[in-house]
């Protein structure tokens, strides 16, 4: 099954049982092409609209939610909900497809963005992950989700150089590795390569 970007990825509901779908209450642009309530009802998932500022509890971990205070109608990547997963003293920052305009608003908001692991905005393209933003997050690891075939600019020398300059170890979703786990014990984060037995 191919997983598409934005709301297209909700196609995975057919394959992965889902109890709850969280979406941005402020974003009326991203969801125009798909009937999310109908899809949630079809697969028995509860739908929760978030406004930003919520803290969700996941066992011993918590998730802090940030949503832009401005709606971007043309550059809808900037409507991405930002999630900061916190466990003990460690944190993972997931920025969706956020580009530099939303990065600037996030920086101005004073919201805590430091993290051990950063999922780079907009697949690691040059219109996201500005130097100031990267220096504020100070991640040890950076995750770039992209496809050289579908989006060659998601694997580029500019961002690779910026990550290296800031001492960030980069991991691309495309490559020889099958999968990488990022593991936290609440004090530190480390990586492990996932091995899957051959069929």
């Amino acid at each position: 099954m191919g997983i598409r970007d934005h709301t297209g990825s909700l196609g995975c509901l057919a394959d992965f049982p889902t109890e709850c779908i969280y979406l941005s209450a402020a974003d009326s642009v991203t969801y125009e092409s798909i009937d999310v309530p109908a899809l949630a009802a079809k697969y028995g998932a509860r739908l929760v609209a978030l406004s930003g500022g919520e803290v969700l509890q996941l066992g011993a971990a918590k998730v802090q939610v940030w949503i832009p205070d401005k709606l971007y109608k043309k550059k809808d990547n900037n409507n991405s909900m930002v999630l900061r997963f916190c466990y003990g003293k460690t944190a993972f920052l997931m920025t969706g497809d956020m580009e530099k305009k939303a990065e600037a608003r996030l920086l101005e908001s004073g919201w805590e963005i430091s993290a051990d692991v950063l999922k780079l905005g907009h697949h690691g393209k040059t219109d996201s992950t500005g130097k100031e933003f990267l220096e504020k997050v100070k991640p040890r690891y950076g995750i770039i989700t992209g496809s050289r075939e579908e989006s060659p600019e998601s694997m580029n020398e500019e961002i690779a150089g910026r990550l290296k300059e800031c001492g960030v170890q980069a991991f691309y979703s495309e490559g020889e590795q099958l999968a990488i786990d990022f593991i936290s014990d609440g004090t530190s984060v480390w990586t492990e390569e996932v091995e899957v037995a051959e069929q």
Side-chain angles (χ1 to χ4, degrees):
M1 179 191 71
I3 299 296
R4 294 176 295 164
D5 204 5
H6 293 246
T7 54
S9 63
L10 287 173
C12 70
L13 293 173
D15 297 285
F16 298 98
T18 303
E19 293 181 4
C20 185
I21 299 172
Y22 294 98
L23 49 77
S24 168
D27 186 358
S28 59
V29 177
T30 305
Y31 310 107
E32 287 181 340
S33 62
I34 189 169
D35 189 341
V36 181
L39 198 58
K42 178 180 179 180
Y43 292 104
R46 188 165 52 96
L47 197 60
V48 177
L50 301 174
S51 301
E54 294 88 350
V55 177
L56 311 176
Q57 202 68 38
L58 296 177
K62 64 181 180 180
V63 185
Q64 300 167 330
V65 181
W66 183 84
I67 292 173
D69 58 0
K70 174 185 176 181
L71 180 65
Y72 296 87
K73 294 185 178 180
K74 292 184 178 179
K75 288 279 190 175
D76 64 335
N77 284 333
N78 286 308
N79 296 321
S80 294
M81 187 187 322
V82 177
L83 304 175
R84 185 171 182 262
F85 291 79
C86 304
Y87 177 56
K89 297 180 179 179
T90 65
F92 296 66
L93 187 65
M94 307 300 186
T95 60
D97 272 336
M98 182 173 65
E99 298 176 13
K100 288 180 180 177
K101 283 188 176 181
E103 284 180 6
R105 295 187 86 86
L106 179 52
L107 286 171
E108 290 170 1
S109 74
W111 201 67
E112 179 58 63
I113 61 173
S114 62
D116 301 273
V117 181
L118 169 66
K119 202 293 287 181
L120 273 68
H122 204 197
H123 311 284
K125 296 179 182 179
T126 56
D127 57 4
S128 66
T129 319
K131 187 175 180 181
E132 182 183 358
F133 182 76
L134 196 57
E135 289 175 342
K136 186 74 173 180
V137 178
K138 298 180 181 177
R140 179 179 178 188
Y141 303 111
I143 302 172
I144 300 95
T145 58
S147 166
R148 191 185 297 275
E149 182 179 349
E150 294 180 10
S151 185
E153 64 270 29
S154 66
M155 302 176 75
N156 62 82
E157 292 183 4
E158 180 179 336
I159 296 299
R162 191 175 300 161
L163 292 173
K164 185 176 181 180
E165 182 182 348
C166 293
V168 182
Q169 184 177 357
F171 288 88
Y172 292 85
S173 62
E174 180 177 86
E176 295 180 358
Q177 80 283 344
L178 181 60
I180 300 290
D181 276 346
F182 293 83
I183 303 170
S184 168
D185 61 4
T187 302
S188 60
V189 176
W190 65 93
T191 64
E192 288 185 5
E193 187 169 338
V194 178
E195 294 183 8
V196 177
E198 293 184 6
Q199 298 289 325

